[in-house]
Amino acid sequence: MGKPMALNLLKAGYQVSILSQSKAAPELLEAGATSFTTSKDLAQHSDIVITMLPDSPEVEQMVFGTDGIFEGIQSGAMFIDMSTIAPSIATKIYQLLQAKGVESLDAPVSGGQVGAVGASLSIMVGGNANAFERALPLFQVMGKNIIHIGEAGAGQTTKACNQMIVGMTIQAVAEAFALAKKAGVDLEKMREVLLGGFAQSRILDLHGKRMIEHNFTPGFKIKLHKKDMGIALKAGETFSLSLKGTALVAAQMEAAVAQGNGELDHSSLLLLLE
């Protein structure tokens, strides 16, 4: 998702720098980006540094590793992490960068590859209000529904809640479709009528269609959603909250990955039931 987000910033006229070893580098360089060989060098020459990475360890390594962002970023600059990571890691990054005179925002997104390409992402932001206002023009280039949630970590907590709701809704749609198929019900007609009632949702609409067509080309890979459900469960443990529905769907996703379906779209939870 980072590539289309960077392309949208370039199209809007921003000067964008990237790491030369990025898989997206050739296309982004052709579009006008410049490159650096290390995160330290990139950070030294940037007013705002944005990361979009798979998980907490990758973000921590990028920020605090050898020749990382922390070594290069200057006082007065800003760091924005748009990955989906643990709220505790987002808070840690915020605190350590604050001590260096650098503002930090956790700004995870929802909307998938389609939203990244179309600049229609929902962006949920944690951090200082003044930093949010400074970053808002950038967010408006990449998304449409942009909300400052609260203090550092609040964006990541909100994203964990988003992934809980999405995951459990996919499981509900998959179970309903599996039952209807066993009973001989026309799935297209069932989806059509349910979309006109209280069960209506974007997941029933979009992923319901995927399930009917057995089109599991990934918009969002199930292995990444499994990771996100783990983040939610860990947050639940932090607050001594039993998230039984989340745990159930996390186990289903774990089983799907074990089956070899981790690279498929998360709507492929249907395959477990079938």
Side-chain angles (χ1 to χ4, degrees):
M1 292 172 65
K3 181 175 74 172
M5 293 162 72
L7 284 170
N8 285 330
L9 289 169
L10 285 163
K11 290 173 187 174
Y14 285 98
Q15 292 181 335
V16 176
S17 298
I18 61 169
L19 290 177
S20 57
Q21 62 267 39
S22 168
K23 292 179 182 178
E27 186 174 344
L28 290 171
L29 290 171
E30 187 176 342
T34 56
S35 68
F36 292 89
T37 56
T38 70
S39 301
K40 177 182 176 179
D41 288 341
L42 186 149
Q44 282 177 331
H45 294 86
S46 302
D47 297 318
I48 299 174
V49 179
I50 301 174
T51 48
M52 185 62 170
L53 297 163
D55 202 354
S56 303
E58 289 88 345
V59 175
E60 284 197 282
Q61 177 62 30
M62 186 70 71
V63 176
F64 300 119
T66 303
D67 286 330
I69 291 166
F70 191 80
E71 291 183 18
I73 199 163
Q74 304 295 306
S75 177
M78 179 185 292
F79 172 72
I80 305 172
D81 178 41
M82 304 188 76
S83 321
T84 297
I85 66 171
S88 60
I89 300 301
T91 303
K92 170 187 172 182
I93 291 171
Y94 170 84
Q95 292 170 343
L96 291 173
L97 287 177
Q98 278 280 305
K100 198 173 182 181
V102 175
E103 288 291 351
S104 176
L105 296 173
D106 50 288
V109 303
S110 181
Q113 184 76 11
V114 172
V117 172
S120 60
L121 293 166
S122 287
I123 306 175
M124 46 212 89
V125 187
N128 293 335
N130 288 341
F132 171 76
E133 291 300 326
R134 178 180 169 187
L136 185 57
L138 294 175
F139 292 147
Q140 289 171 332
V141 170
M142 296 181 280
K144 294 193 180 300
N145 184 33
I146 304 153
I147 305 292
H148 180 224
I149 304 296
E151 296 180 356
Q156 293 297 351
T157 299
T158 301
K159 180 59 186 291
C161 294
N162 178 85
Q163 297 303 79
M164 291 163 62
I165 293 168
V166 170
M168 284 188 272
T169 307
I170 290 174
Q171 179 70 18
V173 173
E175 289 187 10
F177 277 36
L179 175 62
K181 186 175 181 179
K182 287 282 189 181
V185 172
D186 186 310
L187 296 183
E188 285 279 13
K189 290 180 178 178
M190 185 180 85
R191 172 177 165 275
E192 182 181 354
V193 73
L194 293 183
L195 284 172
F198 206 48
Q200 190 278 334
S201 71
R202 283 181 59 81
I203 290 168
L204 175 60
D205 184 7
L206 301 178
H207 288 327
K209 188 71 171 174
R210 280 177 170 272
M211 291 177 191
I212 290 170
E213 296 175 349
H214 266 220
N215 173 19
F216 301 124
T217 302
F220 187 66
K221 294 179 181 180
I222 201 165
K223 69 176 185 180
L224 294 177
H225 203 152
K226 177 185 78 72
K227 177 265 296 184
D228 295 348
M229 298 299 264
I231 289 172
L233 289 171
K234 189 68 176 178
E237 290 176 10
T238 300
F239 295 103
S240 301
L241 187 62
S242 177
L243 305 175
K244 294 181 179 178
T246 302
L248 171 65
V249 179
Q252 289 289 94
M253 291 181 174
E254 184 76 44
V257 171
Q259 274 191 343
N261 292 336
E263 297 291 327
L264 299 181
D265 188 78
H266 49 180
S267 58
S268 67
L269 277 180
L270 176 72
L271 297 176
L272 278 175
L273 293 157
E274 290 184 339

